Amino acid sequence: MLVLLPPSEGKAASGRGAPLKQESLSLPGLAGARAAILDELVELCLADEDKARVVLGLSEGLRGEIAKNADLRTAGTRPAGEIYTGVLYDALGLASLDTAARRRAGKSLLVFSGLWGAVRVGDRIPSYRCSMGVKLPGLGGLGAYWRAPMASVLPEAAGDGLVLDLRSSAYAGAWKPAGAVAERTASVRVLQSQMVNGVEKRSVVSHFNKATKGRMVRDLLVAGAKPKGPAELVGVLRDLGYTVEAQAPERAGRAWALDVVVTEIH
């Protein structure tokens, strides 16, 4: 099972470990694209803070993120699973998993990134600020930039197993599973169900969406679940206590759509 996750906007500080070694990152087929983005991002942030702030879409209060990017080549690193923070990663709680579940996380979790393309949670990276929505002056929009490299690398990473897609829309655009891979892909959204004047209303709530996805991945890792495809995943999630509504694709080459319905925000 390959689980596709979005990153977090906020990130923990860089570690005290050795500086970035790009050749050590997973998915080496993305190395060229990573190097090109890193070069332009560092140069931009070193040359013109005001321009960099506009390009990166940062408020004045986040100006310090520019200096962080300027130091990407020399900053210390830590595992990506420690760099990414926020609601989803708090609920996932990688640090508190037992040894077996952490091993499963290292093999199955893939975090998408505007800068790195995608990394595994054990890959050592520095803290950075560069979302998939950024449009660099030289390379253009990163969502579009990553499509070709991802299309050549991700199918092999997916192998012949289930792909559980939990990415937000900005990151989902960087790679859309196609063909046989798509047919083994389950794209999940979380809906909050509320009764309003006796009528059920469903809506997407950002915080709860992220928290539920984090808990769901954690539960799958702890259970050691190995669903072979989307239909089997539905059964596993229901056994774990989730309310799941599944829509199988109407034609070949399309992904399954899963709605996880929740009633309480916590």
Coordinates of all heavy atoms in Angstrom, one line a residue, residues 74-134:
T74 N 22.9 24.4 3.6 CA 23.8 24.3 4.7 C 23.0 24.0 6.0 O 23.7 23.6 7.0 CB 24.6 25.6 4.9 OG1 23.7 26.7 5.1 CG2 25.6 25.8 3.7
A75 N 21.7 24.1 6.0 CA 20.9 23.9 7.2 C 21.0 22.4 7.6 O 21.2 21.5 6.8 CB 19.5 24.3 7.0
G76 N 20.8 22.2 8.9 CA 20.7 20.8 9.4 C 19.5 20.1 8.9 O 18.5 20.8 8.4
T77 N 19.4 18.8 9.0 CA 18.3 18.1 8.5 C 17.7 17.2 9.6 O 18.4 16.9 10.6 CB 18.6 17.2 7.3 OG1 19.7 16.3 7.7 CG2 19.1 18.0 6.1
R78 N 16.5 16.7 9.4 CA 15.9 15.7 10.2 C 14.9 15.0 9.4 O 14.6 15.4 8.3 CB 15.2 16.4 11.4 CG 14.1 17.4 11.1 CD 13.8 18.3 12.2 NE 13.4 17.7 13.4 CZ 13.0 18.4 14.5 NH1 13.0 19.7 14.5 NH2 12.6 17.7 15.6
P79 N 14.4 13.8 9.8 CA 13.5 13.1 9.0 C 12.3 13.9 8.6 O 11.7 14.7 9.4 CB 13.1 11.9 9.9 CG 14.3 11.7 10.8 CD 14.8 13.1 11.1
A80 N 11.8 13.7 7.4 CA 10.6 14.5 6.9 C 9.4 14.3 7.9 O 8.6 15.2 8.0 CB 10.3 14.0 5.5
G81 N 9.3 13.1 8.4 CA 8.2 12.9 9.4 C 8.2 13.7 10.6 O 7.2 13.9 11.3
E82 N 9.4 14.3 10.9 CA 9.5 15.2 12.0 C 9.4 16.7 11.6 O 9.0 17.5 12.3 CB 10.9 15.0 12.7 CG 11.0 13.7 13.4 CD 12.4 13.5 14.0 OE1 13.2 14.5 14.1 OE2 12.8 12.3 14.3
I83 N 9.8 16.9 10.3 CA 9.7 18.3 9.8 C 8.2 18.7 9.6 O 7.9 19.8 9.9 CB 10.4 18.4 8.4 CG1 12.0 18.3 8.6 CG2 10.1 19.7 7.7 CD1 12.6 19.5 9.2
Y84 N 7.4 17.8 9.0 CA 6.0 18.2 8.8 C 5.2 18.1 10.1 O 5.3 17.1 10.8 CB 5.4 17.2 7.7 CG 6.1 17.4 6.4 CD1 6.8 16.4 5.8 CD2 6.0 18.6 5.7 CE1 7.4 16.5 4.6 CE2 6.7 18.8 4.5 CZ 7.4 17.8 3.9 OH 8.0 17.9 2.7
T85 N 4.5 19.2 10.4 CA 3.7 19.3 11.6 C 2.3 19.6 11.2 O 1.9 19.5 10.0 CB 4.3 20.4 12.5 OG1 4.3 21.6 11.8 CG2 5.7 20.1 12.9
G86 N 1.5 20.0 12.1 CA 0.1 20.4 11.8 C -0.9 19.3 12.1 O -0.6 18.3 12.7
V87 N -2.1 19.6 11.8 CA -3.3 18.8 12.3 C -3.1 17.3 11.8 O -3.3 16.4 12.6 CB -4.6 19.4 11.8 CG1 -5.8 18.5 12.1 CG2 -4.8 20.8 12.3
L88 N -2.9 17.1 10.5 CA -2.8 15.7 10.0 C -1.7 14.9 10.7 O -1.9 13.8 11.1 CB -2.7 15.7 8.5 CG -2.7 14.4 7.8 CD1 -3.2 14.6 6.3 CD2 -1.4 13.6 7.8
Y89 N -0.5 15.6 10.8 CA 0.6 14.9 11.4 C 0.5 14.7 12.9 O 1.1 13.8 13.4 CB 1.9 15.6 10.9 CG 2.1 15.4 9.4 CD1 1.6 16.4 8.5 CD2 2.7 14.3 8.9 CE1 1.7 16.2 7.2 CE2 2.9 14.1 7.6 CZ 2.4 15.1 6.7 OH 2.5 14.9 5.3
D90 N -0.1 15.7 13.5 CA -0.4 15.5 15.0 C -1.3 14.3 15.2 O -1.0 13.5 16.1 CB -1.1 16.7 15.6 CG -0.1 17.9 15.7 OD1 1.1 17.7 15.6 OD2 -0.6 19.0 15.9
A91 N -2.3 14.1 14.4 CA -3.2 13.0 14.5 C -2.5 11.7 14.1 O -2.8 10.6 14.7 CB -4.5 13.2 13.7
L92 N -1.7 11.7 13.2 CA -0.9 10.5 12.7 C 0.1 10.1 13.8 O 0.2 8.9 14.1 CB -0.2 10.9 11.4 CG 0.8 9.8 10.9 CD1 0.1 8.5 10.7 CD2 1.4 10.3 9.5
G93 N 0.7 11.0 14.5 CA 1.6 10.7 15.6 C 2.6 9.7 15.3 O 2.8 8.7 16.0
L94 N 3.5 9.9 14.3 CA 4.5 9.0 13.9 C 5.4 8.6 15.1 O 5.8 7.5 15.2 CB 5.3 9.6 12.8 CG 4.7 9.7 11.4 CD1 5.5 10.5 10.4 CD2 4.5 8.3 10.8
A95 N 5.8 9.6 15.9 CA 6.8 9.4 17.0 C 6.3 8.4 18.0 O 7.1 7.7 18.7 CB 7.2 10.7 17.6
S96 N 4.9 8.3 18.1 CA 4.4 7.4 19.2 C 4.0 6.0 18.7 O 3.5 5.2 19.4 CB 3.2 8.1 19.9 OG 2.1 8.3 18.9
L97 N 4.2 5.7 17.4 CA 3.9 4.4 16.8 C 4.9 3.4 17.4 O 6.1 3.7 17.7 CB 4.0 4.5 15.3 CG 3.0 5.3 14.5 CD1 3.3 5.3 13.1 CD2 1.6 4.7 14.7
D98 N 4.5 2.1 17.4 CA 5.4 1.1 17.8 C 6.4 0.8 16.7 O 6.2 1.3 15.6 CB 4.7 -0.2 18.3 CG 3.8 -0.8 17.2 OD1 4.2 -0.8 16.0 OD2 2.7 -1.3 17.6
T99 N 7.4 0.0 17.0 CA 8.4 -0.2 16.0 C 7.9 -0.8 14.7 O 8.3 -0.3 13.6 CB 9.5 -1.2 16.5 OG1 10.0 -0.6 17.7 CG2 10.6 -1.4 15.5
A100 N 7.0 -1.7 14.7 CA 6.5 -2.3 13.5 C 5.7 -1.3 12.7 O 5.8 -1.3 11.5 CB 5.6 -3.6 13.9
A101 N 4.8 -0.5 13.4 CA 4.0 0.5 12.7 C 4.9 1.5 12.1 O 4.6 2.0 10.9 CB 3.0 1.1 13.6
R102 N 6.0 1.9 12.8 CA 6.9 2.9 12.2 C 7.6 2.4 11.0 O 7.8 3.1 10.0 CB 7.9 3.4 13.2 CG 7.4 4.3 14.3 CD 8.6 5.1 14.9 NE 9.5 4.2 15.6 CZ 9.4 3.8 16.8 NH1 8.4 4.1 17.6 NH2 10.3 3.0 17.3
R103 N 7.9 1.1 11.0 CA 8.5 0.5 9.8 C 7.6 0.5 8.6 O 8.0 0.8 7.5 CB 9.0 -0.9 10.1 CG 9.8 -1.6 9.1 CD 10.2 -3.0 9.4 NE 10.9 -3.1 10.7 CZ 10.4 -3.7 11.8 NH1 9.2 -4.2 11.8 NH2 11.1 -3.7 12.9
R104 N 6.3 0.2 8.9 CA 5.3 0.3 7.8 C 5.2 1.7 7.3 O 5.0 1.9 6.1 CB 3.9 -0.2 8.4 CG 3.9 -1.7 8.8 CD 2.6 -2.1 9.3 NE 2.6 -3.4 10.0 CZ 2.4 -3.5 11.3 NH1 2.1 -2.4 12.0 NH2 2.5 -4.7 11.9
A105 N 5.2 2.7 8.2 CA 5.1 4.1 7.8 C 6.2 4.4 6.8 O 6.0 5.1 5.8 CB 5.1 5.0 9.0
G106 N 7.4 4.0 7.2 CA 8.6 4.3 6.3 C 8.5 3.8 4.9 O 9.0 4.4 4.0
K107 N 7.8 2.6 4.8 CA 7.7 2.0 3.5 C 6.5 2.5 2.7 O 6.5 2.5 1.5 CB 7.5 0.5 3.7 CG 8.8 -0.2 4.2 CD 8.5 -1.7 4.4 CE 9.8 -2.4 4.9 NZ 9.5 -3.9 5.1
S108 N 5.4 2.9 3.4 CA 4.2 3.2 2.7 C 3.8 4.7 2.5 O 3.0 5.0 1.6 CB 3.0 2.5 3.4 OG 2.8 2.9 4.7
L109 N 4.3 5.5 3.4 CA 3.9 6.9 3.4 C 4.8 7.8 2.4 O 6.0 7.7 2.5 CB 3.9 7.6 4.7 CG 3.2 6.9 5.8 CD1 3.1 7.7 7.1 CD2 1.7 6.5 5.4
L110 N 4.1 8.5 1.6 CA 4.8 9.4 0.6 C 4.2 10.8 0.7 O 3.0 11.0 0.5 CB 4.7 8.9 -0.8 CG 5.7 9.3 -1.9 CD1 7.1 8.9 -1.5 CD2 5.3 8.7 -3.2
V111 N 5.1 11.8 1.1 CA 4.6 13.1 1.3 C 4.9 14.0 0.1 O 6.1 14.1 -0.3 CB 5.2 13.8 2.6 CG1 4.6 15.2 2.8 CG2 5.0 12.9 3.8
F112 N 3.9 14.6 -0.5 CA 4.2 15.5 -1.6 C 4.7 16.8 -1.2 O 4.3 17.3 -0.1 CB 2.9 15.6 -2.5 CG 2.7 14.4 -3.5 CD1 2.7 13.1 -3.0 CD2 2.7 14.7 -4.8 CE1 2.5 12.1 -3.9 CE2 2.6 13.6 -5.7 CZ 2.5 12.3 -5.3
S113 N 5.4 17.5 -2.1 CA 6.1 18.7 -1.7 C 6.4 19.6 -3.0 O 6.8 19.0 -4.0 CB 7.4 18.4 -1.0 OG 8.3 19.5 -1.0
G114 N 6.2 20.9 -2.8 CA 6.5 21.8 -3.9 C 8.0 21.8 -4.2 O 8.4 21.9 -5.4
L115 N 8.8 21.6 -3.2 CA 10.3 21.6 -3.4 C 10.8 20.3 -3.8 O 11.7 20.2 -4.7 CB 10.9 22.1 -2.1 CG 12.5 22.1 -2.1 CD1 13.1 22.8 -3.3 CD2 13.0 22.7 -0.8
W116 N 10.5 19.2 -3.1 CA 11.1 17.9 -3.3 C 10.3 17.0 -4.2 O 10.8 15.9 -4.5 CB 11.2 17.2 -1.9 CG 11.8 18.1 -0.8 CD1 11.2 18.5 0.3 CD2 13.1 18.7 -0.8 NE1 12.0 19.3 1.1 CE2 13.2 19.4 0.4 CE3 14.2 18.6 -1.6 CZ2 14.3 20.1 0.8 CZ3 15.3 19.3 -1.3 CH2 15.4 20.1 -0.1
G117 N 9.1 17.4 -4.6 CA 8.3 16.5 -5.4 C 7.5 15.5 -4.5 O 6.3 15.7 -4.3
A118 N 8.2 14.6 -3.9 CA 7.7 13.7 -3.0 C 8.8 13.0 -2.2 O 9.9 12.7 -2.8 CB 6.8 12.6 -3.6
V119 N 8.6 12.8 -0.9 CA 9.7 12.2 -0.1 C 9.0 11.2 0.9 O 7.8 11.3 1.2 CB 10.5 13.2 0.8 CG1 11.3 14.1 -0.1 CG2 9.5 14.1 1.6
R120 N 9.8 10.3 1.3 CA 9.3 9.3 2.3 C 9.6 10.0 3.7 O 10.4 10.8 3.8 CB 10.0 8.0 2.2 CG 9.7 7.3 0.8 CD 10.0 5.8 0.8 NE 9.8 5.2 -0.5 CZ 8.6 4.8 -0.9 NH1 7.5 4.8 -0.1 NH2 8.5 4.3 -2.1
V121 N 8.9 9.5 4.7 CA 8.9 10.1 6.0 C 10.3 10.0 6.7 O 10.7 10.7 7.6 CB 7.8 9.7 7.0 CG1 6.5 10.1 6.5 CG2 7.9 8.1 7.1
G122 N 11.1 9.0 6.2 CA 12.4 8.8 6.8 C 13.5 9.6 6.1 O 14.6 9.7 6.6
D123 N 13.2 10.3 4.9 CA 14.2 11.1 4.2 C 14.5 12.3 5.0 O 13.7 13.0 5.6 CB 13.6 11.5 2.9 CG 13.5 10.4 1.9 OD1 14.2 9.4 2.0 OD2 12.7 10.5 0.9
R124 N 15.8 12.6 5.1 CA 16.3 13.7 5.9 C 16.3 15.0 5.0 O 17.0 15.0 4.0 CB 17.7 13.4 6.5 CG 17.7 12.3 7.4 CD 19.0 12.2 8.2 NE 19.2 13.3 9.1 CZ 18.8 13.3 10.4 NH1 18.3 12.2 10.9 NH2 19.0 14.4 11.1
I125 N 15.5 16.0 5.5 CA 15.4 17.2 4.8 C 15.5 18.4 5.7 O 15.2 18.2 6.9 CB 14.1 17.3 4.0 CG1 12.9 17.2 4.9 CG2 14.0 16.3 2.8 CD1 11.5 17.4 4.2
P126 N 15.9 19.6 5.3 CA 15.8 20.8 6.1 C 14.4 21.4 6.1 O 13.6 21.1 5.2 CB 16.8 21.7 5.5 CG 16.7 21.4 4.0 CD 16.5 19.9 4.0
S127 N 14.1 22.2 7.0 CA 12.8 22.9 7.0 C 12.9 23.9 5.9 O 13.9 24.5 5.6 CB 12.6 23.7 8.4 OG 11.3 24.2 8.4
Y128 N 11.7 24.2 5.3 CA 11.7 25.0 4.1 C 10.3 25.6 3.9 O 9.3 25.3 4.6 CB 12.0 24.2 2.8 CG 10.9 23.2 2.5 CD1 9.9 23.5 1.6 CD2 10.9 22.0 3.1 CE1 8.9 22.5 1.3 CE2 9.9 21.0 2.9 CZ 8.9 21.3 1.9 OH 7.9 20.4 1.7
R129 N 10.1 26.6 3.0 CA 8.8 27.1 2.7 C 8.7 27.2 1.2 O 9.3 28.1 0.5 CB 8.6 28.5 3.3 CG 7.2 29.0 3.3 CD 6.3 28.2 4.2 NE 5.0 28.8 4.3 CZ 4.4 29.1 5.4 NH1 5.0 28.9 6.6 NH2 3.2 29.6 5.4
C130 N 7.9 26.4 0.6 CA 7.7 26.4 -0.9 C 6.5 25.5 -1.2 O 6.7 24.3 -1.4 CB 9.0 25.9 -1.6 SG 8.9 26.1 -3.4
S131 N 5.3 26.0 -1.4 CA 4.2 25.2 -1.6 C 4.0 24.9 -3.1 O 4.7 25.4 -3.9 CB 2.9 26.0 -1.2 OG 2.6 27.0 -2.1
M132 N 3.2 23.9 -3.4 CA 3.0 23.5 -4.7 C 2.3 24.6 -5.6 O 2.4 24.6 -6.8 CB 2.1 22.2 -4.8 CG 2.1 21.5 -6.1 SD 3.7 20.8 -6.6 CE 3.7 19.3 -5.6
G133 N 1.7 25.6 -4.9 CA 1.1 26.7 -5.6 C 2.0 27.8 -6.1 O 1.6 28.7 -6.8
V134 N 3.3 27.7 -5.7 CA 4.3 28.7 -6.0 C 4.6 28.7 -7.5 O 4.6 27.6 -8.1 CB 5.6 28.5 -5.2 CG1 6.7 29.3 -5.8 CG2 5.3 28.9 -3.8

